[in-house]
Amino acid sequence: MDLQLQRGIVRVLIDALYDVLHNVAGQQQSFAYVVDVRGELKEGDWADEIHATSKAFAGSQRGSRMSSTRQYDAGPTWFGRFTAMRVECDVIGRRRFNSLCLGALSATALNCSVATAKQTPSKHSPEAIAAVAGSEVEHLSNETPWSPAVMARLNTYCQELACAAVKQGDHFSGIFVSWCLRQAGFSAWEFPLFLAHRDYIRRGFRDERFVFKAMPFDAIRPARGDIISFSREGPLSFSRLVHTSNLFKLESTICLQANQTGLEGAIGNWPEGRIGRYALEMNESGYLKQRDEFQLVSILRLRSALED
């Protein structure tokens, strides 16, 4: 099998695993902290197919501030090189323990920096988010659905996010949002690849360490750099979205500008096969106005922006 294809498969599997782990750690009653070791070990750090060198293991512990316990190796597998990821947990009464969660790590596939869920996220700018999204819209909004220019751009998104290539007819709006955030300076730890909008909304509600806070669409007045999501399949309340695990279908737009007359956003795959502008109405108080079809559900804002 082609080596690059193998590495692509590994990236998708590892990122999907970390998405699950981050969602578990972000639940309100969880005391778990995910230690993200993606990309820490390089090609020369491996003793054999599945074992890192002693020096590499020691460096891994220092870099991720992991406590001193014996090392674990992931089980053998055919598609790459692996190491173990540990989840450090705090327990009521200040007792501490380490539990093992096997995590795949390709030696050369990933280039993400090591971070833990306890570290303080970088302070990012809503302006940077809107600037990236606005630039994409400026260059692509006049293209026809699934045009060669759109497909080429989608291919770039997928390559840089290390996900499977988009084919005509695929939903790519989650890829568009994730790519814009990555280009705006967010690391893969701060904003992983989210193929489904519902996942980062739930994380923004459940996990206070996540860089975005998710709220009902009418909780705050929208601002540049916010992410506004709406339902593609009928009425859906914010409460129902965040308190269940149902696979709701959503779309999201990144706010480019908002004023009393309305909101202009950047959106991918709405209508299908395009990247373009999206308009929403405001009420007389400056909040988003609900509508009968494709009802608004949530608004996400950077936590750092809420603190300003």
Side-chain angles (χ1 to χ4, degrees):
M1 182 181 290
D2 178 77
L3 179 60
Q4 293 305 316
L5 176 59
Q6 293 182 39
R7 288 175 174 173
I9 293 171
V10 170
R11 289 188 186 101
V12 172
L13 293 174
I14 295 172
D15 288 342
L17 172 63
Y18 271 101
D19 285 348
V20 171
L21 294 173
H22 280 301
N23 283 335
V24 171
Q27 293 177 7
Q28 290 180 313
Q29 300 303 315
S30 173
F31 294 93
Y33 298 91
V34 178
V35 180
D36 193 335
V37 296
R38 284 176 287 188
E40 182 171 357
L41 300 186
K42 309 304 178 186
E43 193 156 0
D45 292 333
W46 294 91
D48 54 31
E49 294 87 349
I50 61 174
H51 298 93
T53 64
S54 298
K55 181 179 179 181
F57 265 132
S60 172
Q61 286 189 312
R62 285 194 300 272
S64 55
R65 299 185 301 176
M66 298 163 73
S67 60
S68 177
T69 58
R70 70 185 182 90
Q71 303 295 336
Y72 294 86
D73 291 325
T77 180
W78 65 271
F79 55 77
R81 296 167 175 180
F82 295 82
T83 190
M85 182 194 70
R86 290 179 297 177
V87 180
E88 186 180 64
C89 302
D90 284 335
V91 190
I92 296 175
R94 295 186 178 275
R95 291 177 296 124
R96 302 179 65 82
F97 68 94
N98 290 298
S99 63
L100 173 69
C101 181
L102 296 180
L105 176 70
S106 166
T108 57
L110 302 172
N111 293 308
C112 305
S113 45
V114 178
T116 71
K118 280 187 172 180
Q119 93 179 62
T120 303
S122 302
K123 187 169 183 178
H124 296 290
S125 165
E127 177 63 32
I129 301 170
V132 171
S135 177
E136 293 302 292
V137 167
E138 186 68 27
H139 290 95
L140 297 168
S141 61
N142 292 326
E143 294 290 331
T144 57
W146 307 110
S147 72
V150 170
M151 294 303 296
R153 200 64 182 141
L154 293 176
N155 186 53
T156 297
Y157 297 166
C158 294
Q159 287 180 348
E160 295 183 359
L161 291 171
C163 65
V166 172
K167 304 184 297 295
Q168 184 168 331
D170 289 347
H171 288 285
F172 61 82
S173 51
I175 292 174
F176 174 72
V177 171
S178 298
W179 183 87
C180 287
L181 269 292
R182 198 65 50 81
Q183 294 300 304
F186 293 79
S187 68
W189 168 76
E190 292 172 315
F191 199 93
L193 168 62
F194 288 101
L195 297 178
H197 303 286
R198 59 181 176 267
D199 292 335
Y200 60 72
I201 296 171
R202 286 169 176 159
R203 179 128 175 238
F205 175 76
R206 298 169 180 171
D207 186 358
E208 293 183 356
R209 297 159 295 189
F210 190 48
V211 288
F212 281 91
K213 181 176 181 178
M215 298 164 280
F217 78 95
D218 55 357
I220 55 175
R221 294 182 177 90
R224 186 166 162 85
D226 288 347
I227 302 174
I228 297 103
S229 301
F230 58 91
S231 172
R232 289 198 283 121
E233 53 180 4
L236 174 62
S237 69
F238 179 80
S239 178
R240 186 182 176 205
L241 171 62
V242 298
H243 290 296
T244 69
S245 58
N246 294 0
L247 305 180
F248 299 113
K249 296 179 181 179
L250 302 166
E251 294 290 350
S252 294
T253 183
I254 297 173
C255 179
L256 302 180
Q257 60 180 0
N259 52 48
Q260 290 293 333
T261 61
L263 178 148
E264 181 184 69
I267 196 166
N269 205 48
W270 194 265
E272 185 176 297
R274 297 192 63 185
I275 294 170
R277 293 180 173 83
Y278 193 72
L280 292 171
E281 293 184 24
M282 313 277 271
N283 61 28
E284 60 277 4
S285 300
Y287 291 82
L288 288 167
K289 184 179 180 180
Q290 187 57 287
R291 52 196 184 178
D292 294 331
E293 190 176 20
F294 308 124
Q295 290 194 350
L296 300 172
V297 179
S298 73
I299 184 168
L300 277 82
R301 180 166 297 174
L302 279 174
R303 292 183 186 271
S304 59
L306 288 169
E307 295 167 358
D308 291 342

